Amino acid sequence: IKKAFVRKGREYGKDQEKLTQINQAYDVLCDPAKRKQYDLHMRFGNQVEEIREKIRNSETPAQWNQNLAEAQRIYQDLLKADPENTDALWNLAGIEESLGNEAQAILYLKELEKYTDGEDKLQVCHRLGTIYRELKKTDEAVRYIPAIYKEDAAYADDVKALVRLYYEEKRDIKTAIQILNDCIHRSSDSKL
């Protein structure tokens, strides 16, 4: 790879655009993680773009379901090739949720949770908390929403949902009040 890089560098010495492309290619080929991503993109990229377009252009519910099933297959193949592919996990969770398979969506989201951090992890916890609330599984919802609540950039709707869960579902008024007091003390926003 290095010999080819040097040879191509000499060959296109004055063509800045070609040199930029050569440097990018060399960077990808020398980094195993980038090379893996490139290989996956070459293998699945067109399929993913085509199925996304098909889903957007679905004209009937039957066509939409058929396209979702095809997307599901493509993302499952991608996940087999790269079990830690967060894009595939996120899309599979969304597809399963769209198809009404919340239990499978939860499995994908829990797997996704292992590979995310920061804002991405908050989004996963938000989605899990929302699904569990919709399924009326209060204890599970209460397990995921506090992960969001504990962050300084807590989503207001999730904080409200957490308070409601403690107050209305668990009948734990003391914890609901503690959460509200904590929100008041943590926030610089006087309206909150």
Side-chain angles (χ1 to χ4, degrees):
I1 293 171
K2 190 170 185 174
K3 286 179 186 179
F5 171 70
V6 171
R7 186 174 65 246
K8 288 290 182 183
R10 283 191 215 122
E11 185 179 332
Y12 296 105
K14 295 188 186 224
D15 187 341
Q16 199 58 42
E17 187 177 324
K18 286 284 186 187
L19 285 175
T20 301
Q21 290 175 342
I22 292 167
N23 282 328
Q24 288 173 342
Y26 182 74
D27 184 45
V28 168
L29 291 172
C30 290
D31 183 331
K34 289 180 182 178
R35 188 174 186 162
K36 182 178 183 180
Q37 284 305 109
Y38 177 81
D39 290 343
L40 288 171
H41 178 73
M42 292 305 293
R43 185 170 165 200
F44 295 101
N46 289 339
Q47 292 177 50
V48 167
E49 289 306 314
E50 287 172 8
I51 196 59
R52 284 181 179 170
E53 188 66 27
K54 281 183 178 180
I55 290 169
R56 277 193 293 273
N57 295 326
S58 297
E59 294 179 3
T60 65
Q63 201 176 46
W64 185 75
N65 282 333
Q66 181 182 359
N67 290 332
L68 273 184
E70 186 180 343
Q72 184 181 40
R73 183 192 54 76
I74 291 168
Y75 282 116
Q76 285 171 342
D77 289 346
L78 177 55
L79 199 58
K80 285 178 189 166
D82 180 14
E84 297 177 13
N85 190 297
T86 56
D87 187 51
L89 287 165
W90 190 255
N91 280 290
L92 281 166
I95 290 168
E96 294 295 348
E97 206 174 341
S98 296
L99 294 172
N101 303 329
E102 285 84 4
Q104 189 62 43
I106 288 168
L107 293 176
Y108 285 126
L109 288 167
K110 284 183 176 182
E111 190 66 22
L112 182 60
E113 185 182 19
K114 297 176 189 175
Y115 306 115
T116 56
D117 56 9
E119 183 64 29
D120 292 335
K121 190 166 201 123
L122 289 180
Q123 288 178 5
V124 172
C125 290
H126 168 76
R127 198 67 231 133
L128 282 165
T130 301
I131 292 171
Y132 280 129
R133 277 195 338 257
E134 290 168 359
L135 293 173
K136 304 286 188 223
K137 294 187 174 186
T138 304
D139 290 336
E140 287 87 349
V142 166
R143 240 181 265 142
Y144 283 97
I145 298 173
I148 298 166
Y149 161 69
K150 290 175 185 173
E151 293 295 319
D152 288 336
Y155 304 146
D157 289 341
D158 287 311
V159 173
K160 289 178 195 174
L162 183 62
V163 170
R164 282 191 189 107
L165 286 170
Y166 273 109
Y167 180 71
E168 295 170 1
E169 301 294 326
K170 295 182 84 55
R171 299 290 185 210
D172 185 348
I173 297 168
K174 183 178 179 181
T175 302
I177 291 172
Q178 286 174 337
I179 292 168
L180 291 172
N181 276 329
D182 188 43
C183 285
I184 291 168
H185 290 69
R186 285 197 310 173
S187 176
S188 59
D189 183 0
S190 61
K191 291 179 185 175
L192 181 62

